[in-house]
Amino acid sequence: MATPIGNLGDLSPRAGEVLSRVQRIAAEDTRHSAGLLAHLGVRTPLVSLHEHNEAERIPSLLEALAAGEDIALISDAGTPLVSDPGFRLVRAAREAGAPVRAVPGPSAPLAALAVAGLPSDRFCFEGFLPHASGARHRRLERLLAQPVTTILFESSHRIRAAANDLAELAPEHEVFLARELTKQFEEHYRGPAGELPAWLDADSNRTRGEFVLILAPAPLPDTGGEADDPLSAEHERLLAGLLQELPLKRAARLLSDATDLPRNRVYARALALKDAES
C-alpha cells in the first residue's frame, strides 16, 4: 500500500480505511509510520519489516495470513518495493497461495516523471546510484547512452557529486531534478547537465532533502543497422582502449576523427560493446 511521500493529504480514503481495518501493518520503520497512524487516529499494531529482518519476519507473517489475518505492507514513503523492502514477502505470500492486492497511490518516480517534461512513453527506473565515485561515474556513463528516459534516486549526501559527474560526462545532456516532492520546499531544475552544479550552489538548501533525478533519453543514431557490424581488429582494439578511459561519446568521436570512420558507425559499435560489458 502506498503512503504519502510528503503531503499527508495525498493518502487516499481507501488507504486510510485499509490501515484501520487490517489486523497488523508491516512497516519499514515503525517509528516513522507511527506518526502517520497517529495523524489518522489508527491504532493497528505495527511490525517492522526492513532489509535487515525481512527474511526472518516472513514465516510469522505467513502464519498470520494462513490464520486469516489481513496485513498491510507499507514503506516509509511512496509505493513499497520501489527501492524499498517487501519483494521477498510478496513473493513468499504468493507462493503460499495468499491473495495479494495493491492499494495504489503516491510514487516519487512517477510524480517526478509527470512534471519533468521529458519523454514518458518509454522509461526505466534505476534506483539509487552507487555510493563509490568510480562506480557512480561508470553507471552514469552507461545510463546517459540509453535511448529511454531514466529515473534515479539520489541522497542529499551525494547529489552534488552526481551533478558534477553529469556535468563532466555530458554537459549538454538534458536532465531534470526534483527536490522534496509534494513538500513545502519542493523545487525543480530542468536544463543542461553542465548547469546543474551551479543551480545547486546558488542556494545551500538545494542540496538538502530527497531527490529524484531524471535523464533525458540519448538520441538514437542513424546507424543503418551497423551496431553489430564489427570494425577492423585494430579499430576494435583502439575503441576498446578508449572506452576504458573516456566517456562513450568522447571515445567514439576521437576514433572517428582519427580514422575517418563514420561517427554513427563508431558510436553504434561503442554502444554495443558497452552493452555487452554490462
Side-chain angles (χ1 to χ4, degrees), residues 12-66:
S12 71
R14 179 187 174 203
E17 187 274 329
V18 169
L19 286 174
S20 65
R21 175 175 53 78
V22 297
Q23 281 69 55
R24 68 180 81 185
I25 300 168
E28 183 179 4
D29 185 333
T30 56
R31 295 167 298 179
H32 179 91
S33 297
L36 174 63
L37 298 191
H39 171 77
L40 298 171
V42 171
R43 299 181 179 274
T44 305
L46 287 163
V47 57
S48 65
L49 185 86
H50 48 73
E51 60 179 333
H52 302 298
N53 74 354
E54 188 172 5
E56 66 186 59
R57 284 275 192 246
I58 286 175
S60 61
L61 293 173
L62 291 182
E63 289 178 7
L65 290 171

Side-chain angles (χ1 to χ4, degrees), residues 4 15 34 88 119 133 135 138 141 152 190 196 200-201 207 227 257:
R88 292 180 178 85
S133 175
R138 290 190 295 273
E141 182 181 2
L152 299 157
R190 179 186 168 194
L196 180 56
L200 290 171
D201 289 343
T207 55
D257 291 345

Side-chain angles (χ1 to χ4, degrees), residues 92-198:
R94 286 204 167 276
E95 290 175 349
V100 181
R101 299 288 184 268
V103 182
S107 168
L110 295 182
L113 182 64
V115 297
L118 295 175
S120 56
D121 53 336
R122 293 182 64 209
F123 62 90
C124 69
F125 174 67
E126 290 280 340
F128 283 94
L129 289 166
H131 294 188
S133 175
R136 182 183 60 247
H137 198 276
R138 290 190 295 273
R139 177 74 63 81
L140 283 172
E141 182 181 2
R142 179 174 63 82
L143 297 178
L144 286 164
Q146 291 192 147
V148 297
T149 298
T150 302
I151 306 172
L152 299 157
F153 283 162
E154 194 48 277
S155 73
S156 58
H157 304 294
R158 292 182 295 275
I159 187 61
R160 187 60 169 78
N164 288 342
D165 283 348
L166 284 168
E168 177 188 343
L169 287 166
E172 301 302 320
H173 199 102
E174 188 175 18
V175 300
F176 176 82
L177 182 68
R179 169 181 173 266
E180 295 288 84
L181 278 166
T182 78
K183 301 175 185 176
Q184 181 179 359
F185 299 108
E186 176 176 348
E187 285 187 282
H188 303 163
Y189 169 84
R190 179 186 168 194
E195 297 178 16
L196 180 56

Side-chain angles (χ1 to χ4, degrees), residues 138-139 141-142 236-237 239-246 248 269-278:
R138 290 190 295 273
R139 177 74 63 81
E141 182 181 2
R142 179 174 63 82
E236 289 268 325
R237 184 184 65 80
L239 181 58
L242 288 169
L243 289 171
Q244 292 297 317
E245 303 294 334
L246 298 172
L248 188 147
R269 186 58 187 157
L271 189 59
L273 291 173
K274 280 289 185 180
D275 288 342
E277 288 180 5
S278 59

